[in-house]
Amino acid sequence: MKPTTVHADTQGQSQPVFALAHLLGFDLMPRIRNWKGLTFYRPSKQTMYVHIDALFGEPGKNIIDFDLIESQFRHLMKVAVSVREGAISSSTLLKRLRSGSKKNAAYAAFREVGRVIRTVQLLRYLSDPALRRRVTTATNKTESFNRFSQWIGFGNRGVIADNDPVEQEKAMKFNALLTNAIIFHNALDIAEIVRQLMEEGWEIDPEDLSHISPYLTEHINRFGEYSTHELGIQPEAYDPKLDVDFTLLREPDSAPAGFGQAA
């Protein structure tokens, strides 16, 4: 999977994360809160803007250190390649680049690159209403998925009480597996109903389908019904095709997007 865009919540917008996303070749577009606490950075002390200079604070301050970025560029690229090739996980890297590493040259360089990318993204966010709507929509989808996953993981009120990291990981992975299985089941049911409506002569508007969520719970019995005589029955092959044209809903410059969690 090679997404061109990854969405996250507000906690996903730290400067090193922006830098790593840029070096790995995708746009990081998190939901942004607490704008008053964010800093816009100038490319040089001499840079002044006619209409938006107030966003950048006092003249001569909040300047990008491009000399540091240049001196550490080869190291930054080595780190990015290591993450891409799986030699080091992104989570491990970001732990090493935590804010307590301010004396580390690599951290400082990642931070400077992140300041550049985040400033550009903030300006894009301010000037592009369509981008703001897209970020909000994507974030809402992620939150809906999280609520759906929590609804399914109702045992012990969703609390993982085991102190064993292996058991904790099992609980999270099994919950994710079950969540995705039910989403898959819901999507198949929705597609089948759409086919039946089309066979009856109904005209299906893709705009209407775009508002249907697979995170449906009303028809699900979380406690289950068990019939042992059905264990040997093989389900029919599912049909992934749906004769509805969704191309009209895509923006001309849109690209496949992924859902990240800063996480």
Side-chain angles (χ1 to χ4, degrees):
M1 184 176 181
K2 297 180 180 180
T4 58
T5 305
V6 171
H7 297 276
D9 56 18
T10 301
Q11 285 70 32
Q13 59 150 337
S14 71
Q15 293 160 353
V17 174
F18 266 104
L20 184 60
H22 178 71
L23 294 176
L24 292 176
F26 59 82
D27 284 336
L28 177 65
M29 291 189 179
R31 177 177 55 188
I32 300 174
R33 292 178 177 174
N34 303 322
W35 276 80
K36 292 182 179 181
L38 299 179
T39 303
F40 290 70
Y41 289 87
R42 303 175 188 269
S44 68
K45 290 184 178 180
Q46 294 74 32
T47 302
M48 299 287 290
Y49 300 98
V50 176
H51 301 293
I52 61 173
D53 199 66
L55 292 173
F56 295 81
E58 296 182 31
K61 292 187 176 181
N62 303 326
I63 310 301
I64 297 295
D65 188 348
F66 284 103
D67 291 336
L68 174 62
I69 296 175
E70 184 176 0
S71 67
Q72 293 290 319
F73 182 76
R74 289 177 62 86
H75 182 67
L76 296 181
M77 294 307 299
K78 285 181 180 179
V79 171
V81 170
S82 296
V83 172
R84 187 188 66 185
E85 299 301 321
I88 182 174
S89 70
S90 56
S91 58
T92 300
L93 171 65
L94 293 172
K95 287 178 182 178
R96 295 180 182 179
L97 295 178
R98 64 189 185 280
S99 58
S101 306
K102 293 183 179 179
K103 295 182 180 179
N104 183 293
Y107 168 81
F110 265 100
R111 180 190 60 196
E112 290 301 303
V113 174
R115 286 173 172 175
V116 174
I117 304 304
R118 190 172 75 172
T119 297
V120 172
Q121 291 288 56
L122 292 176
L123 292 172
R124 287 178 61 195
Y125 191 87
L126 284 174
S127 61
D128 190 346
L131 176 62
R132 293 198 296 272
R133 288 193 295 269
R134 194 167 71 190
V135 170
T136 300
T137 300
T139 306
N140 289 342
K141 287 181 179 179
T142 302
E143 291 182 344
S144 296
F145 174 86
N146 291 336
R147 287 194 297 269
F148 185 70
S149 179
Q150 291 171 2
W151 183 85
I152 292 170
F154 64 93
N156 201 27
R157 298 183 179 179
V159 176
I160 301 177
D162 201 307
N163 292 326
D164 185 350
V166 174
E167 295 302 319
Q168 293 174 355
E169 185 175 8
K170 283 182 183 179
M172 296 177 66
K173 287 187 174 181
F174 291 158
N175 179 254
L177 177 61
L178 182 58
T179 299
N180 283 290
I182 296 176
I183 290 172
F184 181 59
H185 177 79
N186 284 344
L188 293 179
D189 284 350
I190 292 171
E192 182 59 31
I193 292 171
V194 170
R195 293 191 194 97
Q196 292 176 8
L197 291 173
M198 294 174 69
E199 290 175 358
E200 295 172 5
W202 290 84
E203 182 178 346
I204 303 301
D205 188 342
E207 179 69 24
D208 294 333
L209 290 181
S210 69
H211 295 286
I212 298 178
S213 169
Y215 308 139
L216 305 175
T217 60
E218 292 84 355
H219 62 301
I220 298 174
N221 179 2
R222 289 186 292 185
F223 295 99
E225 294 179 358
Y226 304 95
S227 301
T228 55
H229 71 279
E230 296 180 353
L231 293 178
I233 298 177
Q234 294 293 325
E236 296 180 3
Y238 64 87
D239 183 1
K241 297 179 181 178
L242 192 62
D243 191 18
V244 176
D245 184 9
F246 289 97
T247 56
L248 297 177
L249 298 180
R250 298 177 182 172
E251 298 178 10
D253 61 341
S254 65
F259 291 96
Q261 297 171 340

